[in-house]
Amino acid sequence: MAGETSLATLLRSMSPQLNAGEYVFCTLRDGSLPAGLEIIGSFREQEGLTVILERSRAEQAGFSFDYVAAWITLNVHSALEAVGLTAAFATALGQAAISCNVIAGYYHDHLFVGQADAERAMQVLRDLAANAE
């Protein structure tokens, strides 16, 4: 099933959803994921394996972190080749002085913003969708 590529449609339809919980980014320098550890996502970098997981799971595993995020999912099936969606929401959030870390899944974009900025970020995204042309 192909994703949407029209920027106007993507913006109008992005329907942001704030997922419950607190999320953190950790690095596992040896690159191995402990058995049974439930993660949200990962990315292998030269320095180690970056994992995104619920804060409580990171604390239980004894992982260190320094950024606690809220997780927002854009509930529009954006095509991986779509142009402009990331730039549009990153610009809007940046103008509101909200940091954003983006993960693109096959179906949706997932935004991680500072926990304290979650509600403000949701409002910025709702406004962006409402004013899309």
Side-chain angles (χ1 to χ4, degrees), residues 28-67:
L28 307 177
R29 299 212 186 280
D30 68 0
S32 63
L33 192 61
L37 183 65
E38 186 177 329
I39 63 170
I40 303 300
S42 66
F43 198 87
R44 189 164 307 281
E45 299 180 282
Q46 184 176 10
E47 297 84 357
L49 179 65
T50 296
V51 293
I52 307 163
L53 64 163
E54 288 182 43
R55 179 183 187 165
S56 62
R57 295 187 191 282
E59 290 172 338
Q60 288 170 355
F63 296 159
S64 62
F65 54 86
D66 53 343
Y67 176 74

Side-chain angles (χ1 to χ4, degrees), residues 88-100 124:
F89 67 69
T91 298
L93 291 169
Q95 289 172 342
I98 298 172
S99 166
C100 178
V124 167

